[in-house]
Amino acid sequence: MNLRSLRRATRVLRAYPTLLRVGFAGVMAYRAEMLVWMLTTTMPLVSLALWTAVSSRAPVGKFGPADFTAYFLAILIVRQLTSSWLVWELNAEIKSGALSQRLLKPMHPLFLFSADNLAAIPIRSLLCLPLALVLLFATGDRIPRDPTTLALVAVALLGAWLLNFLVSALIGALAFVMESSTAIFEVYLAAFSIFAGYLVPIELFPPTLRAVSEALPFRYTLALPAELLTGLLDPARALPQLAVQWAYVLGALVATTLAWRAGIRRFAAFGG
Amino acid sequence: MRYLRLLLTQIRISLALGMQYRWEFLLGGGLTVVWTLISLVPLHIAFSGRPPIEGWTYERALVVVGWFTLLKGVLDGAVNPSLIRVVEQIRQGTLDFTLLKPADAQFLVSTAKFEVWKVVDVTAALAIFTYAFSRLGRAPAVVDVAVALAMLGAATLVLYSLWILVIAAAFWVVRLDNLAYLFNSLFDFARWPVTMFSGIWRVIFTVVIPLALMTTYPALALLGALPPRTGLLSVGGALLFAVVARVVWRRAIAHYTSASS
């Protein structure tokens, strides 16, 4: 049993580079969609313009214009590296029956989707990421330089990507039982835009709302790595938050696996 | 006249459909209240106990948020539901049935479905207006209300035309999810007075994607601070937008080849 699962794991890992190449080719085939997506990811720049204007007279809380600039650049970077559009993808594939092709392959479809997602990151971030990184470095010595903090940032980024991906897979899997789960994802996104610190830094929230956002999963998909990256979050205080993040990742992993198992059993490929 | 009767029929059908989902009304209503309150948080952070920004105080910015809530209701209740269905129909080829009917296709697809329960958003908007003006300590003048309503007409026209443009894209590309998502994320910034943005973004939000016309100008009108010239220009701009949308729609329809085999 143990040996078999080990063998299966190595097989997936061996196939992964190929999957990434396939995913990359797929991205190149849909450049127009990618362009729209890139435009969407520039939204933090609008927030940046807005909040620097708001804080130009007097700082908001402890945030001056430079702080807002650094914060929203970090948000942009994290969002580019960790976002997932799997919900739309899954809704389309389940409805059209295209998912059955993935089911034929000898590994979990989520591995295939994850490879697609990772392969898209270089193209997706081509437009903004270099610029944002340069600008972020230009905002001064906010960026942590010591290796421990950088490692924490990496762990937080990985956790954020996993959590985003798994939650998308979970909401997308709802399309197995309902006509379309994109409406649910829109509610999720609305909550995300407030509680993940996408529109306003969570630091500026009233205390109760801040406590709420720290209990909800949204913050751990975006604000946590961004705050670490801009030095807003003390590395010592980051550890318990990282623990919460990874607890959410594990929970999402279990829920997603179960939902997929139940969903695929229901799935009778349309138009097959 | 005939189109008015058609419109009334379509609304009646939607109403009958909506009545079947009463729990949706309760749930949606509850969600609307929660979301309206939560979406006030950024505004609260930006304005409460702070100096006014570009002449916008907390109360005046609240009026803009009220217009945003109202237009969001119009978008989700009257514009979005019908047009989203078109995308589906294009993909499946069932748009043929609509095109065959002896009435204007754009009219038919635009009035196909109304989410009647979105009336809750209108109520929320009215509550925000009431709160804002009670804090200002005055009521809006009758003339201002009339001008504001005219601006609401222009705003709805622009919103609708923008959506027609988005939908027209569906005749060329198969998937619209990300375009709709982009539009929604941009529209979200309509909750802020447009003059708070500087430089390039103000130009974009005034001319390219006229968020200013949708929320800031109606709010100014309600506050009695809208320059007549701006008002006239926006109505003209709205009409122009509608004409462009109409032309693009006609071209898109001509491009349509049924998906059925």
Side-chain angles (χ1 to χ4, degrees), chain A residues 179-251:
Chain A
E179 200 189 344
S180 163
S181 62
T182 46
I184 293 179
F185 191 53
E186 266 161 39
V187 175
Y188 174 86
L189 281 177
F192 169 87
S193 65
I194 291 288
F195 290 115
Y198 187 61
L199 294 176
V200 192
I202 294 172
E203 285 241 1
L204 297 173
F205 280 6
T208 25
L209 219 52
R210 214 166 124 181
V212 169
S213 76
E214 275 176 20
L216 292 172
F218 306 104
R219 173 194 157 71
Y220 304 99
T221 64
L222 183 67
L224 177 61
E227 286 174 8
L228 267 172
L229 198 59
T230 48
L232 275 171
L233 188 66
D234 191 42
R237 270 185 51 219
L239 279 178
Q241 300 225 12
L242 277 174
V244 179
Q245 185 193 39
W246 281 88
Y248 265 121
V249 169
L250 276 182

Side-chain angles (χ1 to χ4, degrees), chain B residues 27-49:
Chain B
L27 198 73
L31 266 180
T32 304
V33 173
V34 172
W35 278 128
T36 311
L37 286 177
I38 287 182
S39 64
L40 285 176
V41 170
L43 188 87
H44 192 78
I45 292 169
F47 286 103
S48 180

Side-chain angles (χ1 to χ4, degrees), chain A residues 147-160:
Chain A
T148 345
T149 318
L150 284 176
L152 286 180
V153 171
V155 173
L157 271 175
L158 181 65

Side-chain angles (χ1 to χ4, degrees), chain A residues 39-130:
Chain A
L39 283 176
T40 311
T41 53
T42 56
M43 287 305 116
L45 292 180
V46 186
S47 295
L48 193 161
L50 181 79
W51 286 98
T52 44
V54 169
S55 60
S56 61
R57 282 288 168 73
V60 185
K62 63 172 198 183
F63 279 72
D67 303 290
F68 274 119
T69 307
Y71 180 80
F72 282 114
L73 286 175
I75 288 286
L76 181 112
I77 292 166
V78 174
R79 191 85 184 119
Q80 295 236 323
L81 291 178
T82 62
S83 63
S84 161
W85 53 94
L86 189 59
V87 175
W88 292 303
E89 198 87 18
L90 272 177
N91 269 286
E93 291 211 359
I94 291 173
K95 204 184 278 181
S96 71
L99 187 70
S100 41
Q101 289 176 19
R102 294 188 195 259
L103 293 177
L104 281 175
K105 291 178 184 149
M107 60 184 71
H108 201 285
L110 285 182
F111 277 116
L112 303 169
F113 283 118
S114 72
D116 282 355
N117 181 308
L118 285 178
I121 286 179
I123 304 286
R124 224 189 314 161
S125 46
L126 201 64
L127 190 68
C128 282
L129 193 61

